[in-house]
Amino acid sequence: MGTGAIWIAVLLRIPAARRDRRQRGLCIAVAAAAAAMTLRLRPVDGALDVVTRDPHMTQLAMHLFGAFSAVVVLDFLRVVTGSGPPRKRLHLLGAALLLSLVVLDAMAPPHAQDTIAPHGAPLPSLEFWLTLQGMHLAADTTCAVVCWRHSRRSVKGPLRTSLALFGLGTAFAALFWVGYLLYIPLRAPWIPPLLSLAMGLHGLLRAASIAIPTLLDTRRALDDARKLHQLWPLWRDLVDAVPSVALCKPRNYLGEILRPQGPRDLIIYRRLVEIRDAILVLREYVPADRAATRAPGSSGSFPGDAHALARMLKEARQAKLAGVAPHTDPARLTHSGGPDLAAETAFLIRVATAYRSPTTPCTSRRHMVTPSGSG
């Protein structure tokens, strides 16, 4: 379960890792750990042994993937925190330790497995296992401490939770290697089952940690899709009447959701700007006295009431499409949205809802806006 969960989390995080260099290192580290965990599974190990006919190479690859993950985790912490040894020195040390594992394995007497059996000397050698365990314990302990400290300092809920989960998962990985270290002198039969449990919890917790940003991004994308769906009829009609306000050529709703023309996180902001720009143009087709009669006390301005603004937009759009000349004394636009982007979005969604409501008709023909000077 831990191995499957961590692979799913890695695959979901790849798109974000491609855009962010810092996340790229974390994704590589977790993927390498997932590869080592996968090779540790008996069905996978057995299948590879049948293909390669060399169990020793499969297990050596497993250990090298795990050790490489430990080095990359330290490099990730160095990039994010800005503290620790210089990256070049860290890379050289990591490469030297990985090479030492290969050399220690090659210098050992011929052996079929790299393992610690219930009886006998560790294979390929005690030095090999102490080097491997030392690398993991150093990396895991450092990572757990750093994640714990930064999670306590973080004021953001999701970031705090993600760091705490990653640190806890890394702590279970450290317990795994502590258990292996104890198993060398003790060879107690109750230790291996606990090692499997610790590694599984490590995978589940790390998967949960790196999945939190993905889940938040997914929720944000779904929320943007919902808001875009609510704004779409109003935006489409206004852009149809005032095409110059559209930054890009308008497309259908599905195409904009699947492949937006620009950064996805700005899709709602762009629609708000285009709607407001269209309102600035269409206000020229509503005379100041007409706006004042629609919203008493508003001094000839576009009203702050969503239903009244929706009625005026329907009237102004129809007048513009009919070729009516703009007024020389147009209605003024009040700041009716709110003090921030969230309030502005909520107000224009109310306008859009009122705009497509059948209970918000255009004014009757005798109250339609007419060209200046006409009867």
Side-chain angles (χ1 to χ4, degrees):
M1 290 177 59
T3 303
I6 203 168
W7 272 122
I8 292 173
V10 167
L11 293 175
L12 292 176
R13 205 62 197 152
I14 285 177
R18 292 176 61 186
R19 298 189 298 266
D20 190 338
R21 183 176 60 86
R22 294 182 301 176
Q23 294 190 42
R24 201 173 304 155
L26 177 62
C27 195
I28 292 173
V30 177
M37 292 172 65
T38 304
L39 294 175
R40 194 178 295 277
L41 298 176
R42 293 204 174 191
V44 176
D45 184 35
L48 288 175
D49 290 347
V50 171
V51 175
T52 63
R53 298 181 181 180
D54 188 358
H56 160 254
M57 294 305 298
T58 302
Q59 293 181 358
L60 179 60
M62 173 186 69
H63 296 316
L64 291 178
F65 271 121
F68 175 74
S69 172
V71 175
V72 179
V73 164
L74 289 178
D75 182 69
F76 168 73
L77 294 176
R78 174 67 181 82
V79 171
V80 172
T81 63
S83 59
R87 293 187 68 195
K88 186 176 180 180
R89 185 185 304 173
L90 179 62
H91 294 169
L92 291 174
L93 177 61
L97 289 172
L98 289 172
L99 182 61
S100 68
L101 291 176
V102 176
V103 172
L104 288 172
D105 185 82
M107 292 176 59
H111 55 284
Q113 293 182 325
D114 288 349
T115 185
I116 304 176
H119 305 284
L123 296 175
S125 65
L126 179 60
E127 293 80 8
F128 176 92
W129 280 99
L130 291 179
T131 302
L132 180 65
Q133 292 166 353
M135 290 181 66
H136 280 285
L137 285 173
D140 292 340
T141 303
T142 303
C143 180
V145 170
V146 171
C147 288
W148 174 252
R149 288 178 178 175
H150 281 264
S151 67
R152 295 187 65 183
R153 296 173 186 171
S154 176
V155 295
K156 297 182 180 179
L159 177 59
R160 187 186 193 117
T161 304
S162 183
L163 285 171
L165 287 174
F166 195 86
L168 186 58
T170 306
F172 275 107
L175 286 176
F176 173 87
W177 290 106
V178 169
Y180 244 124
L181 191 61
L182 293 175
Y183 186 69
I184 294 176
L186 298 179
R187 306 298 172 94
W190 53 267
I191 292 181
L194 294 180
L195 298 182
S196 297
L197 177 62
M199 186 54 66
L201 290 173
H202 151 260
L204 288 173
L205 289 167
R206 275 196 172 181
S209 170
I210 63 177
I212 285 178
T214 303
L215 294 176
L216 292 177
D217 291 344
T218 302
R219 187 178 69 175
R220 191 178 303 113
L222 292 175
D223 187 53
D224 286 348
R226 178 183 59 83
K227 292 176 182 177
L228 185 63
H229 177 72
Q230 294 172 316
L231 292 170
W232 193 264
L234 175 64
W235 174 84
R236 179 191 57 207
D237 281 5
L238 296 187
V239 168
D240 182 54
V242 193
S244 61
V245 300
L247 180 62
C248 302
K249 184 179 179 180
R251 300 188 300 170
N252 58 57
Y253 170 78
L254 188 60
E256 193 62 28
I257 284 294
L258 296 178
R259 295 190 62 184
Q261 297 171 299
R264 184 175 293 276
D265 55 347
L266 296 179
I267 186 172
I268 298 300
Y269 180 75
R270 281 180 49 199
R271 295 298 172 265
L272 297 180
V273 171
E274 291 168 349
I275 289 173
R276 276 300 182 185
D277 288 347
I279 291 176
L280 287 173
V281 175
L282 291 177
R283 72 188 177 93
E284 299 177 0
Y285 295 85
V286 179
D289 58 346
R290 187 66 51 83
T293 60
R294 297 292 179 93
S298 61
S299 304
S301 302
F302 258 83
D305 176 72
H307 289 272
L309 180 55
R311 287 195 299 269
M312 286 190 178
L313 289 176
K314 283 187 176 182
E315 178 181 332
R317 176 180 180 274
Q318 190 172 22
K320 186 176 187 305
L321 292 176
V324 175
H327 291 276
T328 57
D329 184 22
R332 296 190 300 274
L333 181 65
T334 60
H335 184 70
S336 53
D340 53 31
L341 183 61
E344 177 82 2
T345 304
F347 173 74
L348 288 181
I349 286 177
R350 293 197 299 272
V351 174
T353 303
Y355 182 86
R356 64 176 182 267
S357 173
T359 61
T360 311
C362 276
T363 52
S364 62
R365 182 173 297 277
R366 64 191 181 90
H367 290 300
M368 285 292 295
V369 179
T370 56
S372 299
S374 60

